[in-house]
Amino acid sequence: QSALTQPASVSGSPGQSITLSCTGASSDIGSYDVVSWYQQHPGEAPKLIIYEATNRPSGISNRFSGSKSGNTASLTISGLQAEDEADYFCFSYAGSSTYVFGSGTKVTVL
Amino acid sequence: QVQLVQSGAEVRTTGSSVRVSCKAPRNTFRTYLISWVRQAPGQGLEWMGGINPLFGTTNSAQKFQGRLSMSADKSTATAYLELSSLKSEDTALYYCVRINPGSVLYDYWSGYPDLWGQGTLVTVSS
C-alpha cells in the first residue's frame, strides 16, 4: 500500500487561507469516507483535527475544514495563524483491514 | 483525561527484538481497535498493524509480516507490540492509536485513529 500523496510544503501569510491536498486511489480515499487529518507540532504526538472527511472533533477550531472529491481529500485552514505552523498528515482506510497515511505537508506561516 | 500510556524508551542492537506496551482506559477494548504507527526521525507516519483486543485477531502491513507480533491483555486493558529481527531502519517513535469505528461501518476494521499514545522511542544500533 503506497502512501497517500501530499505536497511537501505549503506556506501562507497570517490571515490567509491555504488548502492542503491528499491524493489517493479508488481503493482507499475513493472508496471510503474514512479520511482524517492530523496536526503534529514538533516533539508532540499527532492530533486529530478532521474525521470522516468533513467533521471536526470537539474543541477543534472552525478555521479547519475538510472535503473530499473522488480520490482526493482536502484540508483548508482559514485565517492562518502562527500556531497553525506544523506538519499535517492525512489518513484513509484502504480496505482489507489496512490503513494508509499521507506523506505529510509542512505548513509554514510567513 | 482519556489517554493511552505507553512504555518507556528502548535501546536494542540489530537482530534483537523489542516489546512496547500501551495501556488504555478501561472499557476501551469493548469498542475500539488498536493500531500501531511509527515515525522515523524527520519522516512521516507509517501504519504497521492493528489488533482487535476482544478477539486477538490481528492484521499488519505487508512489509512487517513475519516480524511483527501484536497482542492484548483484556484484564489490564494493555496492548503490546513486538518487533523482531530489528534493523537500524527500525529506529523510530512508535505510537499506539485507538481506532474509532466512526459512523459509517464499511467492515469490521474501518475507522480512523482518534487517540494517540505519547510515543515510545526505539533506537536500534549495531
Side-chain angles (χ1 to χ4, degrees):
Chain A
Q1 183 71 41
S2 300
L4 306 174
T5 301
Q6 298 183 242
S9 63
V10 173
S11 61
S13 300
Q16 283 187 329
S17 292
I18 59 173
T19 297
L20 285 57
S21 63
C22 171
T23 303
S26 57
S27 56
D28 40 61
I29 293 178
S31 291
Y32 305 99
D33 285 333
V34 190
V35 177
S36 51
W37 289 88
Y38 302 86
Q39 177 191 63
Q40 185 179 35
H41 287 111
E44 296 182 5
K47 180 174 74 172
L48 176 68
I49 56 174
I50 294 290
Y51 66 95
E52 293 178 340
T54 62
N55 300 314
R56 271 188 316 276
S58 173
I60 297 301
S61 170
N62 60 8
R63 297 186 300 103
F64 294 94
S65 61
S67 63
K68 194 193 94 163
S69 177
N71 298 339
T72 299
S74 299
L75 173 72
T76 297
I77 308 175
S78 58
L80 199 62
Q81 299 180 1
E83 67 206 47
D84 300 331
E85 187 160 293
D87 292 325
Y88 291 81
F89 296 93
C90 57
F91 168 93
S92 177
Y93 181 57
S96 302
S97 63
T98 64
Y99 312 89
V100 62
F101 281 96
S103 48
T105 297
K106 181 176 181 60
V107 168
T108 301
V109 181
L110 301 172
Chain B
Q1 186 176 356
V2 176
Q3 53 185 345
L4 301 172
V5 181
Q6 298 183 222
S7 49
E10 302 276 7
V11 178
R12 292 287 185 271
T13 54
T14 54
S16 66
S17 299
V18 68
R19 191 189 200 205
V20 178
S21 68
C22 169
K23 183 161 178 60
R26 186 185 293 233
N27 297 327
T28 294
F29 288 0
R30 292 184 187 177
T31 308
Y32 302 95
L33 306 176
I34 297 291
S35 266
W36 292 90
V37 175
R38 76 178 185 180
Q39 186 171 35
Q43 302 300 309
L45 302 170
E46 179 177 35
W47 176 74
M48 300 178 67
I51 184 169
N52 175 341
L54 277 185
F55 303 112
T57 50
T58 62
N59 60 313
S60 61
Q62 197 164 6
K63 69 178 287 187
F64 298 107
Q65 290 178 5
R67 289 205 301 142
L68 177 63
S69 175
M70 293 165 288
S71 59
D73 183 340
K74 290 181 287 187
S75 67
T76 61
T78 302
Y80 299 92
L81 168 146
E82 183 163 0
L83 190 62
S84 61
S85 302
L86 289 170
K87 316 166 193 175
S88 58
E89 309 89 90
D90 292 320
T91 293
L93 199 53
Y94 288 75
Y95 292 103
C96 63
V97 301
R98 185 179 76 177
I99 300 293
N100 189 312
S103 61
V104 182
L105 290 179
Y106 293 96
D107 59 41
Y108 193 80
W109 293 93
S110 69
Y112 59 92
D114 71 344
L115 185 66
W116 295 66
Q118 83 275 21
T120 296
L121 180 62
V122 174
T123 303
V124 183
S125 62
S126 53

